[in-house]
Amino acid sequence: MDNKNYKEFFAINAFLLLSMMVFGVFGFDILGMACASAAVCCCMLKSNKAAIIVSIILAFAADSLVNLSFSYVGGIIICMSAFSVNFAIRGKKSLVYIVAYGCLGIFVSVMILLAIGQTFDVNGMRPADLRAVTDAASSEVLDIIKQSGAADMYTENQISQIVDIVFMSMVPAAAITAACVYSYICVAVVKKIEKKLKSGMCDYIAPFTKIKADKMCAAVMIVSFLVYMFAAKSNIVVCAAALCMFFLIMIFYYVSAISLFVFIIEKQSGAKKVLMYVMLVFAALVFSPAMTVTGIFDSFADVRKIAERR
């Protein structure tokens, strides 16, 4: 390994440690892990065994330092997601497939951890605590439905079942969305690092502004909703799965709309560009239904292609 490569690997592994430590201190552990996955992935792309081993050891060490005790949970997730993203990039997969591979790596690592008896917590809450919170939220939703008068249309058992279906579908939808965000951050950071290193391995990956929902998403969304409607009284699992798919496609349309607006904003400059980004953040938070509708419209109209022609 020559002097240039030593400097590159030192910089990548320094970035790994710093991202884990800094984001961990401020409570953004997931963001730090995504950046660490990107660093490990970059070492894997270089195909240097020594660098890969060092980066993997550092990933586990950094996770333990952040938790102030020996921990292997974060290290396994970091390394599995890095390996998956590395595999997809080497195969010249598209952005959507690379993110999907990253998600697969995360879910495989979670399955491995569950298989060896590892328990998880979310902000210090164990699964039992989360279940208690879910039950309490279900009870509140039930009271709201009763007060609205909609309860007259259903029996109490049917209302409870509907509430359970919503929660059963939203939890996996939220988990998949979180995994996609993690994977995308990892890919974006890998692309930035590789661009700095001038390796050219990630130049083919489309930018965020090219993310666009396909026309088929509308058909899948409609079918998912119809399955939910017809299965609501017969199979709660099928019903929850259909609703989960519906939520995921709605989220994808939402992201597609943000991508479209970023595409438009990036063509601006100066104060106008900054102001438009501020307006986009406001719109994304306040007008999420309108953003989703915009994503649906863009999947059929392809606004980017129209703008590029002009």
Side-chain angles (χ1 to χ4, degrees), residues 45 100 114 126 140 168 204 211 221 228 250 255 263 306:
L45 287 171
L114 289 172
R126 296 290 176 183
E140 287 181 16
M168 281 176 65
Y204 79 95
I211 294 177
M221 184 175 69
Y228 161 71
M250 293 290 280
V255 173
F263 172 81
I306 296 170

Side-chain angles (χ1 to χ4, degrees), residues 6 9 52-53 64 72 78 106 116 122 130-131 141 154 174 182 257 262-263 265 269:
Y6 271 119
F9 289 128
I52 294 170
I53 291 168
S64 297
Y72 55 82
I78 289 168
I106 292 169
I116 61 178
V122 179
L130 290 172
R131 181 62 194 174
V141 172
Y154 305 95
Y182 180 107
V262 170
F263 172 81
I265 293 169
S269 59

Side-chain angles (χ1 to χ4, degrees), residues 71-150:
S71 173
Y72 55 82
V73 175
I76 290 176
I77 294 173
I78 289 168
C79 295
M80 285 299 297
S81 57
F83 174 78
S84 302
V85 170
N86 160 70
F87 183 79
I89 291 174
R90 285 183 179 280
K92 298 292 182 183
K93 302 294 183 183
S94 66
L95 178 60
V96 173
Y97 277 99
I98 296 171
V99 171
Y101 272 74
C103 290
L104 181 62
I106 292 169
F107 290 128
V108 168
S109 61
V110 170
M111 292 300 105
I112 291 170
L113 290 165
L114 289 172
I116 61 178
Q118 176 64 42
T119 57
F120 294 89
D121 62 72
V122 179
N123 292 330
M125 297 177 70
R126 296 290 176 183
D129 302 321
L130 290 172
R131 181 62 194 174
V133 171
T134 302
D135 289 341
S138 298
S139 179
E140 287 181 16
V141 172
L142 194 60
D143 290 338
I144 291 169
I145 292 173
K146 287 178 179 178
Q147 290 169 11
S148 69

Side-chain angles (χ1 to χ4, degrees), residues 5-256:
N5 285 333
Y6 271 119
K7 287 181 179 178
E8 288 179 354
F9 289 128
F10 177 80
I12 291 170
N13 286 313
F15 171 75
L16 187 159
L17 276 173
L18 281 171
S19 59
M20 283 287 287
M21 299 303 294
V22 173
F23 287 120
V25 166
F26 289 100
F28 299 107
D29 298 36
I30 302 300
L31 189 54
M33 287 171 62
C35 291
S37 289
V40 175
C41 180
C42 287
C43 289
M44 290 178 175
L45 287 171
K46 292 293 181 183
S47 300
N48 185 285
K49 292 180 182 178
I52 294 170
I53 291 168
V54 169
S55 65
I56 289 172
I57 292 170
L58 282 175
F60 281 90
D63 184 43
S64 297
L65 282 170
V66 169
N67 289 287
L68 299 176
S69 62
F70 175 72
S71 173
Y72 55 82
V73 175
I76 290 176
I77 294 173
I78 289 168
C79 295
M80 285 299 297
S81 57
F83 174 78
S84 302
V85 170
N86 160 70
F87 183 79
I89 291 174
R90 285 183 179 280
K92 298 292 182 183
K93 302 294 183 183
S94 66
L95 178 60
V96 173
Y97 277 99
I98 296 171
V99 171
Y101 272 74
C103 290
L104 181 62
I106 292 169
F107 290 128
V108 168
S109 61
V110 170
M111 292 300 105
I112 291 170
L113 290 165
L114 289 172
I116 61 178
Q118 176 64 42
T119 57
F120 294 89
D121 62 72
V122 179
N123 292 330
M125 297 177 70
R126 296 290 176 183
D129 302 321
L130 290 172
R131 181 62 194 174
V133 171
T134 302
D135 289 341
S138 298
S139 179
E140 287 181 16
V141 172
L142 194 60
D143 290 338
I144 291 169
I145 292 173
K146 287 178 179 178
Q147 290 169 11
S148 69
D152 298 335
M153 299 169 61
Y154 305 95
T155 65
E156 187 165 324
N157 185 52
Q158 286 176 324
I159 295 171
S160 298
Q161 190 178 46
I162 291 169
V163 172
D164 284 342
I165 288 170
V166 171
F167 277 104
M168 281 176 65
S169 58
M170 287 181 71
V171 170
I176 293 168
T177 303
C180 287
V181 171
Y182 180 107
S183 297
Y184 179 77
I185 293 171
C186 174
V187 175
V189 175
V190 167
K191 196 175 176 185
K192 284 284 185 184
I193 294 172
E194 291 298 318
K195 188 177 180 181
K196 282 279 185 183
L197 299 178
K198 298 178 181 178
S199 69
M201 291 193 73
C202 299
D203 291 349
Y204 79 95
I205 300 175
F208 176 74
T209 52
K210 294 293 183 181
I211 294 177
K212 175 182 168 294
D214 191 82
K215 293 177 184 177
M216 281 299 295
C217 288
V220 177
M221 184 175 69
I222 293 167
V223 170
S224 298
F225 186 73
L226 290 173
V227 170
Y228 161 71
M229 293 296 291
F230 286 110
K233 293 183 180 180
S234 58
N235 193 317
I236 190 170
V237 176
V238 172
C239 188
L243 197 58
C244 175
M245 180 60 72
F246 180 83
F247 285 142
L248 286 172
I249 293 173
M250 293 290 280
I251 291 166
F252 189 40
Y253 276 131
Y254 177 81
V255 173
S256 180

Side-chain angles (χ1 to χ4, degrees), residues 262-307:
V262 170
F263 172 81
I264 295 168
I265 293 169
E266 281 300 312
K267 293 185 177 295
Q268 311 303 318
S269 59
K272 185 179 179 181
K273 185 176 181 179
V274 175
L275 179 62
M276 288 179 75
Y277 266 119
V278 172
M279 291 172 65
L280 174 60
V281 172
F282 177 78
L285 294 172
V286 179
F287 302 112
S288 54
M291 294 290 283
T292 303
V293 172
T294 303
I296 295 171
F297 173 77
D298 180 52
S299 68
F300 288 95
D302 201 348
V303 179
R304 294 170 188 78
K305 192 173 284 185
I306 296 170

